[in-house]
Amino acid sequence: MTIRDDVKYSGERVLNAAHSYFYDLRHKKEAMAAVDAIQKHNSQILTDELKKTADEYAAEIFGSKSYAPWLYVYSLIRGEFKEGWIPDNFFGKIVSPKVNKKIRVAAEFKTFSNILFRTNMLPDIGYYIDGIFYDKELARITIQDLCERISPTDGEVFVKRDGEGRGVGVMKLADHEVTEDRFRSFGNCVIQSPIRQHEFFDDIMTGSVATLRITTVKEKNGSVSLRASYLRFGRKDTSWIQSDNSVKVAITSDDGHLDSFGYTEDWRRWQSHPDSGFIFENARIPKFKEAVEAGLELHRKVPHFSVIGWDMSIDRDETVKVLEWNCGHCDIKFSEATTGPCFRGLDWEKCREA
């Protein structure tokens, strides 16, 4: 190794260490804010015993106490410590890059999804890529052709930009607002028909489409299975779900029963939707099994990925629709806290050793 190579290698190690430090610091702040909120609003207390157990487990299993804060959150929500939990920052920093590798960036390109999955479950009607419009089959079209594909019944489309997530980079356009200038300033994106959600979800919250988050994994033998699921609702006066302004409810049975409690983004616990008053207990999602099977079917098409988070909806005709998918840092912390440990037997805790 030359002096130049040695300096380059040392520099990369310093940058990687700095990135790791600030990544864990950001997660610590988020997790400890959750701890404070849970103790304040939910009357749950992080005891010294729970904290000590989480600290020791994080150091022994994951190699650092920096992974303990999310274990505090999980323990608070459940009222006890459970072995097998995966801290959210360990998943994002260590597990996802290891098991989904560099190909995980594919999910950031919403214009690429139908190339991978070739499914009618995507509500895509067209794409805008590098200044050119394409139809769903990637044949070049004009903006007039695109407008003709907008259903007169809908009269609007949702536009989602490549490289964005968590409800960011989304536009809702009426048909008369679909102009080339708007797309030029917005960049590469997918154009999707709006979903008319099942009336079950309308009874809970209208205005935005409720989404099912279904997390599927590739098992050691290559089979694909469901490991976690929850339902996410928007809040009043929102046109689409945004991660920092939503309500999540765990799904607790194979046929789609909701948990008794939902949680807002500050981890405050609710027995009913804070805006509509809909009570979660005993409610059951229609066509949940079909949504799960759809996620499994699509995952089998791309065995390159070990874990995928699917955002799905059930429309008014009881048809499953896939809104988005994530194979980067897909959200595991809510499911781990409410129904986990969800990922036992996958040896994810050993990823740090590789």
Side-chain angles (χ1 to χ4, degrees):
M1 181 180 292
T2 66
I3 294 177
R4 178 178 294 178
D5 290 337
D6 188 48
V7 170
K8 180 181 178 181
Y9 177 69
S10 298
E12 289 175 348
R13 289 186 62 187
V14 170
L15 287 174
N16 289 337
H19 177 269
S20 177
Y21 171 79
F22 286 109
Y23 183 89
D24 288 333
L25 182 62
R26 175 170 60 83
H27 273 267
K28 180 180 180 180
K29 290 180 178 178
E30 182 181 349
M32 295 311 296
V35 168
D36 291 342
I38 294 167
Q39 293 188 121
K40 177 181 178 181
H41 299 299
N42 301 351
S43 300
Q44 295 158 294
I45 301 300
L46 181 66
T47 64
D48 290 341
E49 182 180 357
L50 279 177
K51 186 175 184 298
K52 180 175 183 291
T53 301
D55 288 343
E56 293 175 350
Y57 190 82
E60 178 183 353
I61 302 300
F62 305 110
S64 172
K65 284 176 62 177
S66 64
Y67 300 114
W70 281 117
L71 299 179
Y72 302 162
V73 175
Y74 303 166
S75 300
L76 270 174
I77 294 295
R78 300 295 282 279
E80 61 179 331
F81 183 86
K82 289 180 174 290
E83 293 188 1
W85 274 326
I86 301 295
D88 191 54
N89 53 329
F90 184 81
F91 175 79
K93 186 173 69 174
I94 305 296
V95 176
S96 180
K98 176 65 178 179
V99 301
N100 278 347
K101 307 176 182 66
K102 293 181 179 180
I103 198 173
R104 68 189 185 277
V105 301
E108 297 180 14
F109 298 91
K110 297 172 175 61
T111 54
F112 194 68
S113 295
N114 202 38
I115 296 175
L116 281 177
F117 300 116
R118 293 297 177 185
T119 176
N120 290 326
M121 288 184 280
L122 290 165
D124 302 4
I125 63 172
Y127 310 99
Y128 182 74
I129 305 171
D130 296 338
I132 300 171
F133 290 98
Y134 297 85
D135 67 12
K136 190 173 180 179
E137 303 304 320
L138 292 178
R140 284 182 294 172
I141 59 174
T142 66
I143 193 167
Q144 289 77 21
D145 296 327
L146 174 65
C147 290
E148 290 176 3
R149 286 164 168 76
I150 300 174
S151 167
T153 305
D154 296 330
E156 61 187 20
V157 292
F158 281 90
V159 182
K160 300 177 180 178
R161 183 163 48 207
D162 278 349
E164 301 279 12
R166 298 173 61 84
V168 178
V170 179
M171 289 194 301
K172 181 181 179 181
L173 298 178
D175 50 9
H176 66 273
E177 296 176 313
V178 177
T179 65
E180 292 201 38
D181 284 343
R182 281 189 177 273
F183 285 92
R184 265 195 294 269
S185 61
F186 197 66
N188 289 2
C189 55
V190 60
I191 303 103
Q192 295 181 332
S193 297
I195 304 297
R196 303 302 175 190
Q197 68 182 2
H198 194 283
E199 58 188 11
F200 168 84
F201 304 112
D202 274 343
D203 289 341
I204 304 172
M205 178 53 56
T206 59
S208 57
V209 175
T211 58
L212 280 167
R213 167 52 66 96
I214 290 173
T215 303
T216 58
V217 303
K218 183 175 66 176
E219 303 286 345
K220 292 179 181 179
N221 63 3
S223 64
V224 179
S225 68
L226 171 72
R227 285 299 186 110
S229 58
Y230 63 83
L231 186 59
R232 187 169 58 168
F233 302 102
R235 301 295 302 272
K236 64 180 180 181
D237 302 325
T238 57
S239 297
W240 60 86
I241 291 178
Q242 301 164 31
S243 291
D244 59 355
N245 189 27
S246 62
V247 182
K248 297 177 182 177
V249 189
I251 299 169
T252 58
S253 71
D254 293 338
D255 56 355
H257 279 93
L258 297 183
D259 194 7
S260 300
F261 297 100
Y263 294 83
T264 42
E265 286 303 307
D266 60 359
W267 292 90
R268 185 182 299 198
R269 190 168 62 185
W270 302 81
Q271 289 182 298
S272 61
H273 193 288
D275 300 318
S276 69
F278 181 93
I279 297 173
F280 301 126
E281 189 173 17
N282 295 323
R284 184 170 67 88
I285 302 167
K287 298 297 178 179
F288 175 70
K289 289 184 179 180
E290 286 80 356
V292 171
E293 183 51 45
L296 297 175
E297 174 191 340
L298 293 174
H299 195 158
R300 293 184 192 110
K301 291 184 178 183
V302 282
H304 311 70
F305 304 110
S306 290
V307 54
I308 298 178
W310 307 93
D311 285 341
M312 298 181 168
S313 182
I314 311 298
D315 71 11
R316 192 59 57 91
D317 299 323
E318 298 193 336
T319 302
V320 178
K321 294 295 183 181
V322 177
L323 303 180
E324 293 188 7
W325 62 290
N326 190 307
C327 59
H329 193 162
C330 44
D331 180 20
I332 69 162
K333 58 181 177 288
F334 181 76
S335 291
E336 284 289 78
T338 54
T339 59
C342 300
F343 305 101
R344 279 177 170 160
L346 297 171
D347 292 338
W348 283 358
E349 68 278 3
K350 297 180 181 178
C351 288
R352 74 183 180 94
E353 302 170 1

